[in-house]
Amino acid sequence: MASSYKYLADHDRVVINNELDTQVTDEKGAGWATSSYSPYYFVQFASGSTEWALATRTFDITYGRSADTLTSSAGNYQAQKNIYNQFAKVLLGHESNGTIKKFNLAPEDASGAKVLHNALFVNFCRSQMADKIKQGSFDLTINPSGSEELHLIDSGSIIRECATGEYALLYASSSNTTDFDIEPGVNDVQGLLFYEAGVAVISPYVFSIYDSINANPSGSDEFIGENTLGILGSSLDLDEIYDSQNIAYYVTTGSIEDGALALSENILTASYQSTTELNSSIYFCRAYNHEFNYSSNPTYLKDSKIVVKGDDPEALPRTYITTVGLYGEDNQLLAVAKLSEPVLKTPENELIARVRIDF
Amino acid sequence: MASFLQNNGDIILDAVLTDYGRKLLAKGDGSFNIVKFAFADDEIDYGLFDVTASSINKDTQIMNTPILEAITNNAASMKSKLMSMGPGIDNMLFLPIMKIYNANEGATGTFYSASLANPKYTGHLVPIDIMNVKNMKITSQGLTGSFNEYLPGVLNVSSRNIIIDQGLDSSETNSNQNLKDVYPALYETEYNIYVDNKFCSIGANTNGTLTALAPLSIDDDGLAVYKLTEQTLVNNATHVRALTSTDTTDINGLRGSRLNFTIVPNGNLMYTDSMFDKYGEELSLNINKPTRLFKTLRSSVRVVGVNTGYSVELPLLFAKLKSTEADCDC
């Protein structure tokens, strides 16, 4: 029986997983623009336009603080608490007693000394980061001094598991050791990066690393007690950050938008590799020597006679493959692949077409 | 020292899902299941093969054929498939084709083909309702009864069908024999028929009894496929059978199988003009009668031999007498 279709054997199909990495770099110099969309978060665009329909959205910024911080009568306190809990709930999950976990810059330190009670959240857009941020590729460059660059990087960080997949610590790094007072084990960890969720959790105190800020501790801790300040201990409160960089104001009494804007204005570059996870099915379409040597092409025949044989029954039949079709049981064409050039098929050769479908 | 081996490894291709494949995938019910494959040579013109040239130059023009990117419309690709004949069958000089059996009007058991007075169209006419039938002067056939009796695009309700014959169309072969006996590998036992489900379906017309068949599937573009085999029995009649030496046929050589079916216009064409207004045009038709204005609609039916992959496409013209036209039952 002549046949146009050939069934695939079980071993003719394999499923493989691949990752496709793409470099993403959002530079402030390229024309960043911001637009407030909601009182709960701030949107960063890559282009100079603030029009939703025209600009490429890169990431959102918001600010939150834990319920352990002192209660404030300020209008944004509850919203900030809700934001913190929302992120903590999604990214970290719950303790065994049902309470929401807190962000901790020293996850193995059970004392909670470096629990991050105030946090800026940078959510990278799915359209930019694809399935996840590639581990070891992240570099968020900020300029807390207004001119010097400080990098927050995940390179060399231990990968830890969490509710959304994996995360790592973000380390502060700068070539300027004069102005940036980075002490390993003290203030070098300034955030967390959640790879699959595409969220960077950044301590607002990252701005205090700049030497001039630490030099002038003063001010009030009206809303946030010194014991809950986070990584830098009691020598620093939020007001001194406010004094130098206009940050503390946002953290203690400002709106979420104010806090997000403060970080946004200090970000120079967000650089990372996005990873797209590809699941591919590969079908091995095998044409043995005695298969697919004749064609139903209307030009193949003249008066029912095979043209390429030249009236010689002993001449070998030949065909030229240009297309591979993958079919369902009822001969429905489900996928199609093209060759770059015609491939000769005769009874004297065999071939295997590896046809890949990415999902 | 030996040179490096030339890399003649596997051919690695990236496939794209067809629109129908994406539809099945979206359904998520497991209907997307690739179980077989086929090769095709849609771009190749074998007329460019130069049998008189030296062996290395015979297919130079063919090998230089540029290949188009994949088309995602499932009905647009894989139109000419490659065939396997089985081990050791390399000495075939002939291959079967399919031909529409286009006998004269009025012959029993034949398909009606009209060359219309209007030169715009010379395809196959499918009248929609009894008014059409009257205007095509078939009242002498004694047609009475309900609409359904006249639905298929036929003049003789008792036996008109589309008939397609398969075989070797060469007088060099013996027309008294059948492929089934001489080259059984080339005998076609199964056909797929593709029609636009918006306009019609495939049916069986056996001695005046019309039976619409259920499509095997309908794709995302509304293209319905029907499967007819030698085992398909409708009203105790087969759709596919072997041609005998006594059958009248246009096949000039070794005979293969005969396929018969009919077209059943659907309700959208019968009871409203909306499809005609959207997809069709008005034509003045003159079929043995004074010219009348008809609403018409063009479509086609494609028949593919499943075993050999050979296909033929038949143009169709659905015609419906415009409501403002006077009936002429004369």
Side-chain angles (χ1 to χ4, degrees):
Chain A
M1 177 87 54
S3 173
S4 302
Y5 302 97
K6 182 176 180 182
Y7 276 89
L8 293 155
D10 290 342
H11 60 268
D12 287 336
R13 176 184 175 176
V14 295
V15 178
I16 60 170
N17 299 313
N18 284 319
E19 290 189 347
L20 177 67
D21 298 329
T22 305
Q23 180 65 38
V24 179
T25 304
D26 295 324
E27 296 181 355
K28 188 173 185 178
W32 286 29
T34 54
S35 173
S36 102
Y37 175 67
S38 155
Y40 299 108
Y41 62 91
F42 205 70
V43 177
Q44 190 87 29
F45 292 108
S47 77
S49 172
T50 56
E51 294 291 329
W52 279 90
L54 300 177
T56 301
R57 188 172 172 178
T58 56
F59 54 79
D60 304 332
I61 304 175
T62 187
Y63 166 72
R65 58 178 174 171
S66 80
D68 292 348
T69 56
L70 296 180
T71 302
S72 167
S73 60
N76 286 285
Y77 172 76
Q78 188 60 45
Q80 292 169 0
K81 191 178 119 180
N82 292 347
I83 288 288
Y84 185 98
N85 284 343
Q86 178 188 349
F87 276 91
K89 189 177 192 304
V90 172
L91 298 176
L92 296 175
H94 298 259
E95 303 286 2
S96 56
N97 63 5
T99 59
I100 298 172
K101 288 182 177 177
K102 293 184 177 62
F103 297 103
N104 191 343
L105 298 182
E108 287 75 32
D109 183 356
S111 72
K114 291 196 175 182
V115 168
L116 191 61
H117 292 285
N118 301 280
L120 289 156
F121 300 97
V122 182
N123 307 350
F124 293 92
C125 291
R126 184 65 61 188
S127 60
Q128 298 271 87
M129 57 157 285
D131 290 323
K132 63 181 180 182
I133 293 171
K134 185 179 175 63
Q135 292 172 359
S137 71
F138 187 81
D139 184 351
L140 187 73
T141 308
I142 60 177
N143 59 340
S145 70
S147 58
E148 304 295 341
E149 292 185 3
L150 181 72
H151 298 270
L152 294 178
I153 59 175
D154 69 327
S155 178
S157 183
I158 296 172
I159 306 300
R160 295 170 170 83
E161 293 186 349
C162 64
T164 53
E166 294 174 332
Y167 77 103
L169 305 182
L170 282 176
Y171 288 91
S173 167
S174 177
S175 58
N176 184 342
T177 56
T178 304
D179 293 329
F180 291 107
D181 184 15
I182 302 171
E183 297 181 47
V186 177
N187 66 348
D188 58 334
V189 178
Q190 289 292 345
L192 308 171
L193 179 63
F194 294 82
Y195 294 107
E196 287 81 2
V199 176
V201 181
I202 298 171
S203 164
Y205 308 105
V206 67
F207 299 100
S208 70
I209 294 178
Y210 191 61
D211 231 12
S212 62
I213 300 176
N214 281 323
N216 183 28
S218 65
S220 160
D221 56 353
E222 179 183 358
F223 301 118
I224 301 176
E226 289 184 347
N227 290 335
T228 61
L229 281 179
I231 62 169
L232 293 180
S234 58
S235 64
L236 179 72
D237 65 22
L238 296 176
D239 282 342
E240 66 182 351
I241 300 175
Y242 165 70
D243 290 340
S244 298
Q245 291 294 311
N246 209 26
I247 295 299
Y249 171 85
Y250 302 126
V251 171
T252 55
T253 62
S255 67
I256 290 174
E257 184 177 338
D258 290 336
L261 183 59
L263 180 61
S264 169
E265 289 179 344
N266 283 285
I267 293 178
L268 287 176
T269 307
S271 170
Y272 58 89
Q273 287 184 26
S274 65
T275 297
T276 302
E277 294 182 358
L278 296 176
N279 292 299
S280 303
S281 290
I282 294 181
Y283 298 88
F284 293 88
C285 301
R286 305 173 200 273
Y288 294 128
N289 62 319
H290 62 276
E291 295 174 326
F292 302 107
N293 296 321
Y294 295 90
S295 174
S296 62
N297 191 316
T299 65
Y300 196 67
L301 302 177
K302 186 175 182 184
D303 297 331
S304 278
K305 201 175 279 186
I306 298 172
V307 171
V308 295
K309 286 212 167 197
D311 223 9
D312 179 5
E314 293 185 342
L316 289 177
R318 55 170 62 206
T319 56
Y320 297 87
I321 302 171
T322 67
T323 314
V324 186
L326 301 177
Y327 288 83
E329 183 62 53
D330 293 329
N331 301 336
Q332 318 103 314
L333 181 61
L334 303 181
V336 61
K338 301 292 288 193
L339 280 70
S340 59
E341 61 182 9
V343 171
L344 175 65
K345 179 72 187 71
T346 76
E348 294 182 327
N349 69 357
E350 296 185 343
L351 62 89
I352 301 173
R354 293 177 73 238
V355 182
R356 189 179 72 180
I357 304 177
D358 295 330
F359 293 95
Chain B
M1 184 172 178
S3 61
F4 290 111
L5 286 172
Q6 190 176 354
N7 182 6
N8 284 329
D10 301 348
I11 301 165
I12 304 173
L13 308 167
D14 283 328
V16 294
L17 296 180
T18 62
D19 47 6
Y20 188 59
R22 287 198 298 269
K23 180 184 176 185
L24 294 189
L25 199 60
K27 286 172 75 174
D29 59 357
S31 54
F32 182 89
N33 186 23
I34 291 171
V35 298
K36 50 189 165 182
F37 69 93
F39 292 113
D41 58 2
D42 292 356
E43 288 94 341
I44 302 300
D45 177 2
Y46 286 93
L48 298 175
F49 190 83
D50 187 355
V51 293
T52 62
S54 62
S55 58
I56 200 168
N57 292 323
K58 287 180 189 295
D59 59 1
T60 302
Q61 290 193 70
I62 289 178
M63 293 302 284
N64 287 333
T65 303
I67 308 300
L68 299 169
E69 285 190 323
I71 300 171
T72 55
N73 185 332
N74 61 301
S77 295
M78 304 294 293
K79 292 210 166 176
S80 60
K81 299 184 184 67
L82 305 189
M83 288 185 289
S84 302
M85 294 295 178
I89 305 181
D90 302 331
N91 57 355
M92 300 291 305
L93 186 58
F94 297 93
L95 286 178
I97 63 162
M98 294 192 296
K99 252 183 164 179
I100 302 161
Y101 178 44
N102 199 9
N104 294 330
E105 178 186 350
T108 301
T110 58
F111 171 59
Y112 175 71
S113 174
S115 289
L116 305 179
N118 189 318
K120 278 184 171 181
Y121 192 82
T122 56
H124 306 286
L125 191 64
V126 185
I128 298 301
D129 56 27
I130 190 170
M131 200 64 74
N132 289 178
V133 175
K134 285 181 178 177
N135 277 279
M136 289 172 192
K137 195 176 172 56
I138 64 165
T139 50
S140 61
Q141 303 283 342
L143 301 178
T144 57
S146 68
F147 263 14
N148 285 344
E149 291 184 55
Y150 314 107
L151 289 182
V154 295
L155 290 179
N156 186 335
V157 172
S158 63
S159 56
R160 295 266 181 200
N161 279 317
I162 293 175
I163 294 176
I164 293 176
D165 289 342
Q166 184 231 4
L168 303 188
D169 195 29
S170 169
S171 56
E172 295 178 46
T173 60
N174 189 345
S175 61
N176 290 322
Q177 289 183 296
N178 194 286
L179 281 171
K180 206 171 188 175
D181 305 317
V182 183
Y183 298 116
L186 301 180
Y187 179 78
E188 193 63 77
T189 59
E190 181 178 339
Y191 293 89
N192 281 345
I193 304 172
Y194 298 82
V195 292
D196 192 332
N197 195 55
K198 285 196 300 290
F199 305 140
C200 62
S201 57
I202 295 302
N205 181 15
T206 311
N207 298 322
T209 302
L210 180 72
T211 306
L213 303 175
L216 195 63
S217 63
I218 301 173
D219 78 2
D220 59 305
D221 298 316
L223 191 69
V225 56
Y226 296 78
K227 177 181 174 181
L228 298 180
T229 72
E230 286 188 321
Q231 284 72 46
T232 308
L233 285 175
V234 179
N235 302 326
N236 294 319
T238 58
H239 283 277
V240 181
R241 66 169 175 84
L243 277 168
T244 67
S245 59
T246 57
D247 282 322
T248 306
T249 177
D250 291 333
I251 296 290
N252 290 317
L254 206 55
R255 300 174 174 204
S257 60
R258 167 168 284 184
L259 166 72
N260 75 83
F261 62 94
T262 194
I263 302 292
V264 183
N266 69 19
N268 289 337
L269 301 189
M270 286 189 291
Y271 306 125
T272 77
D273 288 344
S274 60
M275 286 292 184
F276 288 98
D277 294 338
K278 185 173 182 181
Y279 297 102
E281 63 179 333
E282 290 185 0
L283 287 178
S284 293
L285 304 182
N286 179 359
I287 307 168
N288 294 331
K289 301 301 295 180
T291 298
R292 290 286 185 273
L293 202 56
F294 285 77
K295 285 181 176 290
T296 64
L297 194 152
R298 295 156 200 244
S299 186
S300 66
V301 53
R302 183 163 172 252
V303 180
V304 180
V306 173
N307 298 330
T308 63
Y310 200 87
S311 65
V312 291
E313 190 153 341
L314 295 72
L316 300 174
L317 181 70
F318 296 98
K320 184 178 187 181
L321 187 68
K322 198 175 177 188
S323 58
T324 54
E325 292 289 285
D327 182 21
C328 181
D329 189 3
C330 49

